[in-house]
């Protein structure tokens, strides 16, 4: 029918424009990537069909392979025997029928169960299949999920776990457990009926434009494969336009999308055949369309134990791969660890439809052992499907009733439910108890109507104990939602309204109500309640009432004297969770930051079977990092849980209450002592416990899995404390820099500076790791509250940073080892080294801060431990961790620094002042004697510039100033202890690469390969000039420091020596002349020694009884290595 005549013929006004319809199609998975032109053409070419009010669309569903889209008006759709639900413009139907795939559902068509096994065999297996449990022996039949934990059974059920842990497998995957038989089994496909919408009936989700009227009936857009294929048909040849080619490409996209949609539907259809038996293909397609396909890498978690909230109610279908089910288990004094309790394969289902709205916490973890494909059905999608198609409940009614029967008796006491509603809290406990005692409990399953619009015979008021209901109005759509502890029906009951103003329907799997009769309410409130009861009646005129959640806090010492509004806000910030029998609420020595109040059911301490109604106060306050006991659900139980994050949010709203909790927490810290767990290293033993508490409370706690390398991006300006596990620090070259273990900190320098240079580092979890994260702003906030402790905390923080930087350099023995990075300090005794560590300074230089300045008095030696530095003025210098600046200034060999150095990022530097060094040196005579030559040098020429010092060297007396300045640019100071070699025999030599040494203080012996001293030299002489000029290929002599004193050399780099020589070739002559003189001296020494050997040594050896008679040639060679030693009369030769 022509849609243009719809207004005059009674066709509904409310609908979608052509542009809106095209936009809708473009967002469907079927038409992803298709061009706008292709989609607009589909909208134009599609057929329209008008369905009158209450007219059946059976013919379309039976005979038409079309995609059906509501363009205008509304449809009423019912599945099975369920109530019809109204759907408005934009809803899409018959996707699978249009693709011609409906017949593929035939293998999953339900059949009546056999008489001998109406419940069907449970799918659990001990080896292979979708579900496998790792039990020790054979398990005859899987346990029933909805059964109380009978007793404490810690006997071994599997390798490393008990029967309690095994139950967590079935709590995670209820489909693997025994199930009750269906009361009324589904034995065929559920029928889908579709009729034109009723005039004035608002669709389920209303309409984007509320002003548009729904006049009854619907205009349907019909789109089949023939239309789509024609749009994409292109003739080959030059006449084919770009537009035609784009349409052909869009058709290819559609065909690819169609295969993906069909594949996804097949997966969901096959996996949910047992969960929704009889659900027609179109319904499973809607589930598939809203599902999410995920690829999970081997080793990654699919779900994690203890996670609650909306995501914990998602159902997950294992399509491919192998998944291991793990449970956190603790034995004796060991740390908790994850133990494998079972395996899941293709076809397994994690989660259960029954868990919707229960807040059930994941009972175990599921980790991919191999790369796995999973399908996630979000809880919102499942809830929406039950709401949209209440007839689906027929598939699972028996399971819902089974759940209801199990849960009903474990609901909170009726009086507690009433007292949490303001309507009844105002009348007092005795009267509320009387009213509750005269009420009844009722259970409704999903889709059931509790109250109907226009109903006049209302004789009861409903107070919800569990579940979710929706109130809807025929012309307004959904007007309200009711949850636990809310009430409705009061307006009609108290005579304010003559009839029910809306229809209330259950949309959760089950809803449990406390039903209060009109007679008991009126007697209780009006006759027994007095003025308070009359006021409550007036308050009861509202459709909903304020709910009070803080009642469970009333008996806790922690909340004694606290503002009731604070307690109420805290309860609302928490979350309600549910646990199945045997499931752990907490694990001994496991990390926990929750206050847990058991509001219904029973939970027990595992070791004593003592019932626990509340635990975790100190955990919420950040004091108790490890839980002191394992607690299990004895029955199905519900809890109110408040974690540290929720507590802090409420404290910001009620800051006056913080002092009360601080007092309680500090007392807990005093009792805990060392058992309170690891502490930030910069919070020393004298730090006030209140300060420790505030840092622990506000620091964020996170867990990272082994191999996780995403942490660095999350840190920002935060410090990290490792509470469990370890972190690997990887440098910019992808090399392991260090490992941060339990009790150690990382990134703590961020607490001192707002901005730091990017070092290129990243951190990777070396194992499953638990961390505290302390942001800089939070640390500053805490410091502001403790003015007296600020300085000591900063010093402690500096100390921690220095210690970590030292460990990164491989120095684990403390400050003495840091100082011994300096050759000057290494020369000295351990006693003096220890004394120097006491006076050394530890400092953090902020980005941009100057460390040294050109021509500035240099009274310090600096050792750089971490950070990066820029050279602003002076010769180039590479500065990094382990670099030492200012050794010559420490010894007085130079009065000023050669460079201006500024911190690029935060720099950790250890410094030693010259005056303190000299004071301690003069207290250690032995060390003073060692440094005597250097100290004399400092006294004599310490005030001269380096160029002036070089001018005093004999071979440089006549050198040009520019030549000396070039040498000075490549000069560094080197210090040598007694007997240490300056150059070694065999070192490779090449012009431009081999350095030249100038001896400034001390004496050096020149030795041949046999260790025989050929010559010695003192201050002012050069060493290695032949190698520096490249006149020899390798060093021919060893230069070794003589005596018990140290030596000081200036080292001229080979590159700068070559540049200076090439710029001033005239300087080569005096150097070569000196080399020639040394060679002549060496030849003279060799000749003299040869005569000594022949005249004195060989004859003396021949007189020796042991050597007498040996060939003279042998004795000559042996004598060549002998050293000459003069001995005074009476001097001891041997001991």
């Amino acid at each position: 029918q022509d849609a243009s005549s719809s207004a005059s013929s009674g066709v509904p006004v409310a609908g979608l424009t052509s542009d809106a319809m095209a936009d809708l199609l473009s967002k469907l998975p079927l038409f992803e990537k298709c061009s706008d032109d292709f989609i607009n053409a589909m909208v134009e070419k599609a057929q329209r069909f008008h369905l009158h009010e209450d007219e059946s669309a059976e013919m379309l569903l039976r005979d038409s392979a079309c995609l059906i889209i509501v363009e205008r008006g509304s449809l009423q759709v019912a599945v099975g025997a369920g109530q019809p639900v109204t759907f408005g413009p934009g809803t899409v139907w018959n996707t699978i029928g249009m693709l011609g795939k409906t017949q593929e559902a035939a293998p999953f068509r339900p059949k009546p169960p056999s008489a001998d096994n109406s419940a069907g065999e449970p799918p659990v297996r001990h080896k292979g299949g979708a579900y496998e449990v790792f039990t020790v022996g054979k398990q005859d039949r899987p346990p029933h999920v909805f059964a109380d934990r009978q007793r404490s059974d810690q006997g071994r059920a599997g390798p490393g776990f008990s029967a309690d842990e095994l139950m967590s497998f079935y709590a995670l995957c209820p489909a693997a457990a025994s199930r009750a038989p269906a009361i009324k089994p589904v034995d065929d496909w559920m029928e889908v009926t579709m009729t034109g919408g009723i005039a004035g009936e608002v669709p389920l989700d209303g309409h984007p434009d509320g002003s548009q009227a729904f006049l009854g009936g619907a205009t349907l857009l019909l789109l089949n494969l023939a239309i789509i294929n024609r749009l994409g048909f292109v003739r080959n040849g030059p006449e084919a336009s770009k537009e035609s080619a784009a349409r052909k490409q869009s058709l290819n996209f559609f065909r690819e999308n169609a295969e993906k949609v069909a594949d996804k539907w097949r997966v969901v259809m096959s996996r949910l055949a047992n969960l929704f038996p009889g659900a027609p293909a179109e319904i499973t397609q809607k589930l598939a369309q809203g599902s999410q396909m995920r690829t999970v890498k081997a080793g990654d978690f699919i779900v994690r134990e203890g996670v609650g909230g909306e995501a914990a109610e998602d159902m997950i279908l294992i399509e491919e791969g192998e998944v291991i089910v793990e449970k956190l288990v603790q034995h004796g004094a060991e740390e908790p660890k994850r133990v494998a309790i079972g395996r899941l394969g293709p076809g397994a289902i994690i989660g259960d439809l029954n868990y919707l709205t229960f807040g059930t916490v994941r009972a175990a973890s599921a980790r991919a052992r191999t790369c796995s494909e999973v399908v996630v059905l979000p809880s919102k999608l499942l809830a929406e499907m039950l709401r949209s198609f209440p007839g689906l409940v027929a598939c699972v009614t028996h399971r819902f009733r089974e759940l209801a029967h199990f849960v009903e008796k474990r609901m909170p006491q009726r009086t507690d439910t009433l007292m949490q509603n303001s309507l009844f809290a105002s009348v007092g406990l005795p009267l509320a108890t009387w009213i509750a005692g005269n009420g009844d409990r009722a259970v409704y399953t999903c889709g059931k109507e509790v109250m109907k619009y226009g109903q006049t015979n209302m004789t009861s008021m409903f107070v919800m104990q569990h579940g979710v209901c929706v109130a809807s109005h025929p012309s307004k759509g959904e007007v309200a939602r009711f949850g636990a502890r809310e009430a409705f029906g009061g307006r009609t009951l108290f005579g304010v309204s003559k009839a029910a103003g809306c229809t209330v329907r259950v949309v959760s799997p089950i809803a449990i109500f406390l039903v209060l009769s009109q007679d008991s309410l009126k007697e209780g409130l009006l006759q027994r309640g007095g003025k308070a009861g009359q006021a409550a009646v007036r308050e009861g005129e509202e459709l909903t009432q304020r709910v009070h959640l803080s009642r469970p806090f009333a008996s806790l010492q922690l909340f004694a004297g606290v503002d009731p509004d604070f307690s109420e806000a805290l309860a609302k910030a928490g979350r309600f969770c549910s646990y199945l029998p045997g499931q752990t609420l907490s694990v001994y020595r496991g990390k926990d930051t929750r206050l847990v109040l058991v509001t219904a059911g029973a939970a027990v301490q595992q070791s004593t079977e003592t019932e626990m109604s509340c635990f975790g106060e100190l955990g919420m306050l950040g004091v108790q990092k490890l839980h002191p006991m394992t607690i299990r659900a004895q029955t199905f139980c519900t809890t109110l849980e408040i974690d540290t994050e929720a507590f802090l949010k409420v404290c910001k709203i009620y800051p006056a209450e913080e002092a009360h909790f601080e007092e309680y927490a500090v007392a807990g810290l005093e009792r805990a002592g060392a058992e309170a767990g690891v502490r930030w290293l910069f919070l020393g033993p004298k730090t006030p416990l209140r300060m420790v508490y505030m840092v622990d409370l506000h620091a964020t706690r996170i867990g990272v899995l082994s191999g996780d390398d995403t942490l660095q991006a999350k840190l920002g300006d935060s410090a990290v404390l490792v509470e469990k596990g370890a972190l690997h620090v990887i440098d910019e070259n992808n090399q392991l820099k260090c490992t941060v273990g339990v009790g150690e900190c990382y990134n703590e320098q961020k607490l001192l500076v707002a901005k730091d240079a990017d070092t290129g580092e990243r951190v990777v979890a070396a194992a499953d790791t638990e961390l505290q994260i302390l942001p800089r702003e939070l640390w500053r906030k805490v410091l502001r509250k403790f003015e007296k402790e600020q300085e000591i905390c900063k010093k402690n923080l500096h100390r921690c940073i220095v210690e970590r930087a030292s460990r990164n350099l491989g120095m684990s023995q403390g400050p003495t080892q840091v100082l011994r990075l300096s050759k000057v300090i290494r020369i000295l005794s351990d006693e003096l080294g220890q004394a120097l560590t006491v006076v050394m300074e530890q400092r953090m230089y902020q980005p941009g801060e100057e460390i040294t300045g050109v021509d500035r008095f240099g009274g310090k030696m600096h050792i750089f431990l971490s950070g990066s530095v820029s050279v602003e003025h002076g010769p180039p210098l590479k500065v990094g961790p382990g670099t030492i600046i200012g050794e010559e200034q420490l010894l007085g060999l130079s009065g000023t620094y050669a460079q201006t150095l500024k911190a690029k990022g935060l720099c950790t530097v250890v410094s030693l002042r010259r005056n303190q060094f000299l004071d301690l040196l003069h207290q250690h005579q032995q060390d003073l004697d060692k440094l005597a030559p250097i100290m004399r040098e400092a006294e004599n020429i310490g005030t001269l510039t380096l160029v002036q010092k070089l001018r005093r060297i004999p071979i440089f007396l006549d050198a040009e100033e520019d030549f000396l300045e070039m040498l000075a640019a490549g000069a560094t100071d080197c210090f040598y202890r007694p007997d240490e070699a300056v150059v070694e025999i065999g070192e490779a030599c090449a012009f431009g690469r081999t350095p030249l040494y100038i001896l400034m203080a001390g004496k050096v012996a020149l030795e041949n390969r046999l260790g025989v001293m050929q010559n010695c030299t003192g201050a002012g002489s050069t060493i290695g000039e032949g190698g520096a000029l490249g006149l020899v290929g390798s060093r021919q002599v060893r230069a070794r420091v003589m005596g018990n004193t140290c030596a000081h050399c200036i080292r001229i780099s080979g590159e700068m020596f070559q540049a200076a020589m090439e710029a001033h070739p005239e300087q080569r002559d005096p150097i070569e002349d000196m080399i020639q003189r040394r060679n002549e001296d060496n030849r003279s020494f060799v000749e003299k020694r040869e005569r000594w050997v022949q005249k004195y040594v060989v004859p003396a050896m021949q007189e020796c009884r042991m050597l007498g008679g040996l060939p003279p040639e042998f004795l000559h060679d042996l004598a060549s290595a002998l050293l000459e030693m003069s001995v005074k009369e009476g001097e001891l030769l041997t001991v």
Side-chain angles (χ1 to χ4, degrees), residues 766-794:
D768 289 355
T769 304
E770 293 172 358
L771 308 168
Q772 275 195 56
I773 309 295
L774 180 62
R776 176 174 178 266
E777 189 54 42
L778 178 59
W779 168 244
R780 290 167 63 91
K781 180 180 177 182
V782 173
L783 272 185
R784 285 194 290 268
K785 295 185 178 183
F786 297 87
E787 293 184 3
K788 294 181 180 179
E789 285 76 24
Q790 287 185 13
E791 197 58 37
I792 186 65
C793 283
K794 288 180 180 178

Coordinates of all heavy atoms in Angstrom, one line a residue, residues 766-794:
A766 N 56.6 -9.0 36.8 CA 57.4 -10.2 36.7 C 56.6 -11.4 37.1 O 57.0 -12.5 36.9 CB 58.7 -10.0 37.5
A767 N 55.5 -11.2 37.9 CA 54.6 -12.2 38.3 C 53.3 -11.6 38.6 O 53.2 -10.3 38.4 CB 55.2 -12.9 39.6
D768 N 52.3 -12.3 39.0 CA 51.0 -11.7 39.4 C 51.4 -10.8 40.6 O 51.8 -11.3 41.6 CB 50.0 -12.7 39.8 CG 49.5 -13.5 38.5 OD1 49.9 -13.1 37.4 OD2 48.7 -14.5 38.7
T769 N 51.1 -9.5 40.4 CA 51.6 -8.5 41.4 C 50.5 -7.6 41.9 O 49.6 -7.3 41.1 CB 52.7 -7.6 40.6 OG1 53.7 -8.5 40.1 CG2 53.3 -6.7 41.6
E770 N 50.6 -7.3 43.2 CA 49.7 -6.4 43.8 C 50.4 -5.1 44.2 O 51.5 -5.2 44.9 CB 49.0 -7.0 45.0 CG 48.1 -8.2 44.5 CD 47.5 -9.0 45.7 OE1 47.8 -8.7 46.8 OE2 46.7 -9.9 45.4
L771 N 49.8 -4.0 43.9 CA 50.5 -2.7 44.1 C 49.7 -1.7 44.8 O 48.4 -1.7 44.8 CB 50.9 -2.1 42.7 CG 51.6 -3.0 41.7 CD1 51.6 -2.4 40.4 CD2 53.1 -3.3 42.2
Q772 N 50.4 -0.7 45.5 CA 49.7 0.5 45.9 C 50.2 1.6 45.0 O 51.4 1.7 44.7 CB 50.1 0.8 47.4 CG 49.3 0.1 48.5 CD 49.5 0.8 49.8 OE1 49.3 1.9 50.0 NE2 49.9 0.0 50.8
I773 N 49.3 2.5 44.6 CA 49.6 3.6 43.8 C 49.3 4.9 44.6 O 48.2 5.1 45.0 CB 48.7 3.6 42.5 CG1 48.8 2.2 41.8 CG2 49.2 4.7 41.6 CD1 50.2 1.9 41.3
L774 N 50.3 5.7 44.7 CA 50.2 7.0 45.5 C 50.5 8.2 44.6 O 51.6 8.5 44.2 CB 51.2 6.9 46.6 CG 51.2 8.2 47.5 CD1 49.9 8.3 48.2 CD2 52.3 8.1 48.6
P775 N 49.4 8.9 44.2 CA 49.6 10.1 43.3 C 50.3 11.2 44.1 O 50.2 11.3 45.3 CB 48.2 10.5 42.9 CG 47.4 9.3 43.2 CD 48.0 8.6 44.4
R776 N 51.0 12.0 43.3 CA 51.8 13.1 43.9 C 50.9 14.1 44.6 O 51.2 14.5 45.8 CB 52.6 13.8 42.8 CG 53.4 15.1 43.3 CD 54.2 15.6 42.2 NE 54.9 16.8 42.7 CZ 54.5 18.1 42.5 NH1 53.3 18.3 41.9 NH2 55.2 19.1 42.9
E777 N 49.8 14.4 44.0 CA 48.9 15.4 44.6 C 48.3 14.9 46.0 O 48.2 15.7 46.9 CB 47.7 15.7 43.7 CG 46.9 16.9 44.1 CD 47.7 18.2 44.4 OE1 48.6 18.5 43.6 OE2 47.4 18.8 45.4
L778 N 48.0 13.6 46.0 CA 47.5 13.0 47.3 C 48.6 13.1 48.4 O 48.3 13.4 49.5 CB 47.1 11.6 47.0 CG 46.6 10.8 48.2 CD1 45.4 11.5 48.8 CD2 46.2 9.4 47.8
W779 N 49.9 12.8 48.0 CA 51.0 12.8 48.9 C 51.2 14.3 49.5 O 51.4 14.4 50.7 CB 52.3 12.3 48.2 CG 53.5 12.6 49.0 CD1 54.6 13.4 48.6 CD2 53.9 12.1 50.2 NE1 55.6 13.4 49.5 CE2 55.2 12.6 50.6 CE3 53.3 11.2 51.1 CZ2 55.9 12.3 51.7 CZ3 54.0 10.9 52.3 CH2 55.3 11.4 52.6
R780 N 51.1 15.2 48.6 CA 51.2 16.6 49.0 C 50.1 17.0 50.0 O 50.3 17.8 50.9 CB 51.2 17.5 47.8 CG 52.5 17.4 47.0 CD 52.3 18.1 45.6 NE 52.1 19.5 45.8 CZ 53.1 20.4 45.8 NH1 54.3 20.1 45.7 NH2 52.8 21.7 45.9
K781 N 48.9 16.5 49.7 CA 47.7 16.8 50.5 C 48.0 16.2 51.9 O 47.6 16.9 52.9 CB 46.5 16.2 49.9 CG 45.2 16.4 50.7 CD 44.0 15.8 50.0 CE 42.8 15.9 50.8 NZ 41.6 15.3 50.2
V782 N 48.5 15.0 52.0 CA 48.8 14.4 53.3 C 49.9 15.2 54.0 O 49.8 15.5 55.2 CB 49.2 12.9 53.2 CG1 49.7 12.3 54.5 CG2 48.0 12.1 52.6
L783 N 50.9 15.6 53.3 CA 52.0 16.3 53.9 C 51.5 17.6 54.6 O 52.0 18.0 55.6 CB 53.1 16.6 52.9 CG 54.2 15.6 52.7 CD1 55.2 16.1 51.7 CD2 54.8 15.2 54.0
R784 N 50.6 18.3 53.9 CA 50.1 19.6 54.4 C 49.5 19.4 55.8 O 49.4 20.4 56.6 CB 49.1 20.2 53.4 CG 49.8 20.8 52.2 CD 48.8 21.7 51.4 NE 47.8 20.9 50.8 CZ 47.8 20.5 49.5 NH1 48.9 20.7 48.8 NH2 46.8 19.8 49.0
K785 N 49.0 18.2 56.1 CA 48.4 18.0 57.4 C 49.4 17.7 58.5 O 49.0 17.6 59.7 CB 47.3 16.9 57.3 CG 46.2 17.2 56.4 CD 45.1 16.1 56.4 CE 43.9 16.5 55.6 NZ 42.8 15.4 55.6
F786 N 50.6 17.5 58.1 CA 51.7 17.1 59.1 C 52.9 18.0 58.8 O 53.9 17.5 58.3 CB 52.0 15.6 58.9 CG 50.9 14.7 59.2 CD1 50.0 14.3 58.2 CD2 50.7 14.1 60.4 CE1 49.0 13.4 58.4 CE2 49.7 13.3 60.7 CZ 48.8 12.9 59.7
E787 N 52.8 19.2 59.2 CA 53.9 20.2 59.0 C 55.2 19.8 59.7 O 56.3 19.9 59.1 CB 53.4 21.6 59.5 CG 52.3 22.2 58.7 CD 52.0 23.6 59.1 OE1 52.7 24.1 60.0 OE2 51.0 24.1 58.6
K788 N 55.1 19.3 60.9 CA 56.3 18.9 61.7 C 57.1 17.7 61.0 O 58.3 17.6 61.2 CB 56.0 18.5 63.1 CG 55.4 19.7 63.9 CD 55.1 19.3 65.3 CE 54.6 20.4 66.2 NZ 54.2 20.0 67.6
E789 N 56.3 16.9 60.3 CA 57.0 15.7 59.7 C 57.4 15.9 58.3 O 58.0 15.0 57.7 CB 56.0 14.5 59.7 CG 55.8 13.9 61.1 CD 54.9 14.7 62.0 OE1 54.1 15.5 61.5 OE2 55.0 14.6 63.2
Q790 N 57.1 17.1 57.7 CA 57.4 17.3 56.3 C 58.9 17.1 56.0 O 59.3 16.4 55.0 CB 57.0 18.7 55.8 CG 55.5 18.8 55.7 CD 55.0 20.1 55.2 OE1 55.8 20.9 54.7 NE2 53.7 20.4 55.3
E791 N 59.8 17.7 56.8 CA 61.2 17.7 56.5 C 61.8 16.3 56.6 O 62.5 15.8 55.7 CB 62.0 18.6 57.4 CG 63.3 19.0 56.9 CD 63.3 19.6 55.5 OE1 62.4 20.4 55.2 OE2 64.3 19.3 54.8
I792 N 61.4 15.6 57.6 CA 61.9 14.2 57.8 C 61.4 13.3 56.7 O 62.1 12.4 56.2 CB 61.6 13.7 59.2 CG1 62.3 12.3 59.5 CG2 60.1 13.5 59.4 CD1 63.8 12.4 59.5
C793 N 60.2 13.5 56.3 CA 59.6 12.6 55.2 C 60.3 12.9 53.9 O 60.6 12.0 53.2 CB 58.1 12.9 55.1 SG 57.1 12.1 56.4
K794 N 60.6 14.2 53.7 CA 61.4 14.5 52.4 C 62.8 13.8 52.5 O 63.3 13.3 51.5 CB 61.5 16.0 52.2 CG 60.1 16.6 51.8 CD 60.3 18.1 51.7 CE 58.9 18.7 51.3 NZ 59.0 20.2 51.1

